[in-house]
Amino acid sequence: MFLFSEGYQPLQIPQWAQAFVLLMGGIEVGLSYFPFFACLSSEFRLVGAILGFSYSLIWFSVTVLYIAQCPHGQLVGRYETIIFYWPSLLCLAFLLGRFLHMFVKSLRAHLGWELQAEEKPFLEVHQAEHVKQLLRKSSLRERKKSWFQTRIYEWDPCFQFPSRMIGTTVLAFICLYLFIVIEFCIFVYVRDELDVFEGELENYITSMNDTGTLTPVILQVQELISVTKGVWVATILPAALTSVNYMFHILSCYRKHIKRLWSGNKNFLPLTFHNPSSSESVVAIARYSGWQIAYILWGYLIMHVVHSLCGMMVMYGLVLPIMHNKGLEMLQGLGIGTLTIAVVVGLMILQVWIAASFFLQPKMGTADKQKPLALNNRKAFHNFSYFLFFYNVLLGLGACLSRLLITCILGTWLIARIDRTIMQKGYEKADMGFRAWIGMLYVDHYHTNPVLVSFCHILMTGHKERKLQQAIKYWCLNQSAGPRVSARSRTRWLLLQTLINNPSLVMLRKRKGHGSQESTQILLTCSES
């Protein structure tokens, strides 16, 4: 964020070329941190650990030296650099420990003290466990869940979040912390300027001996400034907690959405996203991490403004009237407003009751939950519609404003939620953040689907075994002397086991002869037992 500010731009360039400057700044940041990732993912573990530890130690030493030389600053004041740079020190300390752990393990393997660590397997353990869970017969009795598992989060041992999601969440936390600190510093600066302005207003009131014509207006302005400062500080915590909650909720939604795609369920997606473009999906997964962090930061700021406006409404609607000894007038206005809304809502409910009681035909059966959609007393219904037409026009004016208000509130409240669109149905493609989310889901779905990865793993393993058997001339001598089982018998045995564990597949099999009905009945009996 500091790098992209105007003070760090080395050259004065025109406004239309600012995008290229930002691109170069992003590449500069990437190049400075690229050695960390190169050393972590290097095939030469020992060399990568040594170089990575040295590079991390240089960064750590330079950062500590900078903090020691310049601990204070002009924006925050005392201990400014510590407040801004302790997340970087924490990350660098973690990298030092990680590279040290890599060095110890690689050195022990190089000296022969322990086995060489194998490469990352094509089929990971959690993916294999997910496939086993799908093939396992589901128990009829569901396991009792705790309150935390039902309402908040349920741990799934057969699912593992990709490192991209975990890294994005951690970076979002750090960026949100720095953003809140910078915002608070700006607030302190604005507050000091407002204090100077209030002092000038006090001097004016004193010079006029409280008899000036502008004295009531000045008092109201002072009250507005005081209330605004208090409300802005009080709403920092709710806005920050809401943003943090969104980060965890996005992780939960990622698991829910990707598991639905694994099962072939696309009903939760708009129709326009059922077959996305491949190129757009690849670009989307590259955009996602940066866009998610940006959405979280903008969402925090917008929510903070909205929370402050709501706080101002509460202060001027409830608190200040009581402080000014106008509590009875406030209660009277609140009562009248509540009664007006209650009457309007009551008339709307009354219309529904009249329609259900007089203008619908009776239920066709005693088990029906509601009456059928069949009109009764049509002439009376036409008169009912005619006389309520003029009232519903006036009621629609208020309903339209409420629709606009609710849309604005939900839009600003959910602006940081990149996993759901805030656009109307049919306009979802205009939401670029939601498009990035969907593209990222599809790329992960096509490349990490446990069933697909397991199938490819079986094909690759079988291919390697056949190549190994062809390479050994007398491979039969190495086989066990026990009875051999043909591939056809083994396949039929696995088919029988699959059909017994999944009775719904029995009815979907293609029938070839008269004995198929008897075999189907036997399989159904075995599965029930």
Side-chain angles (χ1 to χ4, degrees), residues 379-396:
K379 292 184 178 181
F381 172 73
H382 292 321
N383 293 326
F384 175 78
S385 302
Y386 171 74
F387 285 106
L388 286 179
F389 168 76
F390 306 100
Y391 170 74
N392 286 329
V393 171
L394 300 177
L395 184 62

Side-chain angles (χ1 to χ4, degrees), residues 87-144:
S88 300
L89 289 177
L90 186 63
C91 295
L92 290 172
F94 173 80
L95 286 174
L96 287 172
R98 174 63 178 167
F99 284 122
L100 184 62
H101 179 260
M102 286 176 53
F103 174 76
V104 172
K105 290 194 65 176
S106 302
L107 184 61
R108 291 176 61 88
H110 182 72
L111 296 176
W113 294 352
E114 65 179 28
L115 296 177
Q116 182 72 28
E118 298 181 357
E119 296 181 357
K120 186 178 181 181
F122 181 79
L123 178 65
E124 299 186 17
V125 177
H126 65 91
Q127 294 175 332
E129 292 296 329
H130 179 82
V131 177
K132 290 180 182 179
Q133 189 180 33
L134 294 178
L135 298 176
R136 195 177 297 122
K137 186 176 181 180
S138 59
S139 58
L140 299 177
R141 182 181 299 177
E142 294 185 357
R143 182 173 56 88
K144 188 177 180 181

Side-chain angles (χ1 to χ4, degrees), residues 100-246:
L100 184 62
H101 179 260
M102 286 176 53
F103 174 76
V104 172
K105 290 194 65 176
S106 302
L107 184 61
R108 291 176 61 88
H110 182 72
L111 296 176
W113 294 352
E114 65 179 28
L115 296 177
Q116 182 72 28
E118 298 181 357
E119 296 181 357
K120 186 178 181 181
F122 181 79
L123 178 65
E124 299 186 17
V125 177
H126 65 91
Q127 294 175 332
E129 292 296 329
H130 179 82
V131 177
K132 290 180 182 179
Q133 189 180 33
L134 294 178
L135 298 176
R136 195 177 297 122
K137 186 176 181 180
S138 59
S139 58
L140 299 177
R141 182 181 299 177
E142 294 185 357
R143 182 173 56 88
K144 188 177 180 181
K145 300 179 181 179
S146 62
W147 178 88
F148 185 86
Q149 293 175 330
T150 305
R151 300 295 180 87
I152 300 178
Y153 186 77
E154 182 181 4
W155 177 258
D156 186 1
C158 301
F159 182 85
Q160 182 176 339
F161 287 101
S163 57
R164 179 187 63 260
M165 297 298 297
I166 303 299
T168 302
T169 304
V170 173
L171 283 176
F173 270 108
I174 296 174
C175 292
L176 180 63
Y177 164 76
L178 295 175
F179 190 82
I180 293 174
V181 172
I182 295 172
E183 183 205 34
F184 187 77
C185 294
I186 296 174
F187 165 76
V188 171
Y189 173 77
V190 174
R191 184 193 61 185
D192 294 339
E193 295 295 327
L194 290 176
D195 290 340
V196 174
F197 179 67
E198 283 187 282
E200 295 178 355
L201 294 179
E202 286 287 346
N203 295 332
Y204 174 80
I205 294 175
T206 304
S207 62
M208 299 298 294
N209 294 325
D210 297 338
T211 58
T213 56
L214 297 178
T215 300
V217 178
I218 292 175
L219 293 176
Q220 292 180 0
V221 171
Q222 288 181 331
E223 185 180 65
L224 175 63
I225 294 173
S226 177
V227 170
T228 304
K229 291 189 294 186
V231 169
W232 185 266
V233 174
T235 52
I236 291 177
L237 183 60
L241 291 179
T242 305
S243 300
V244 171
N245 177 57
Y246 281 168

Side-chain angles (χ1 to χ4, degrees), residues 295-308:
Y295 272 62
I296 288 292
L297 299 181
W298 270 117
Y300 163 77
L301 182 60
I302 294 173
M303 281 189 296
H304 194 185
V305 173
V306 174
H307 288 176
S308 299

